[in-house]
Amino acid sequence: MQVEKVFQERLRFLRAEKGVSQKQVAESLGITEVGYRNYETGRRKPTFDILPSIADFFGVSTDYLFGRSDNPNRY
C-alpha cells in the first residue's frame, strides 16, 4: 500500500480512536480544520515541521504514521 494511503488511514483511525473531531486536532496543531482535513483526504501532505506534532498529538511514532511499523509505540 502507498505511504500516502497508509498515512491517511492511520490519521482517521487514530482520530476516531481518540474520539476527537478534525477541528479539535487542527486547533491542537495550530492549523486550520480544512488544512487538517486535507491531510486525511490526501489533498495535501503535511510539512516536515508539522509531522512531529501530529505524532505527538496521537502519541505514536512517525514510522507508525507512515506504515513503516505496525507498532504505534514511539520507542
Side-chain angles (χ1 to χ4, degrees), residues 16-54:
E17 186 177 65
K18 194 167 182 149
V20 294
S21 68
Q22 290 178 334
K23 182 177 182 176
Q24 290 171 308
V25 177
E27 287 175 352
S28 176
L29 298 174
I31 61 175
T32 66
E33 182 179 354
V34 171
Y36 178 78
R37 185 179 312 123
N38 286 337
Y39 299 157
E40 283 194 9
T41 61
R43 287 190 195 117
R44 292 201 136 176
K45 296 176 186 173
T47 64
F48 288 116
D49 295 337
I50 197 79
L51 284 170
S53 298
I54 293 171

Side-chain angles (χ1 to χ4, degrees), residues 5-19:
K5 283 286 185 199
V6 171
F7 181 74
Q8 294 163 29
E9 289 176 6
R10 292 206 170 164
L11 283 182
R12 288 190 295 269
F13 170 79
L14 289 166
R15 185 173 57 78
E17 186 177 65
K18 194 167 182 149

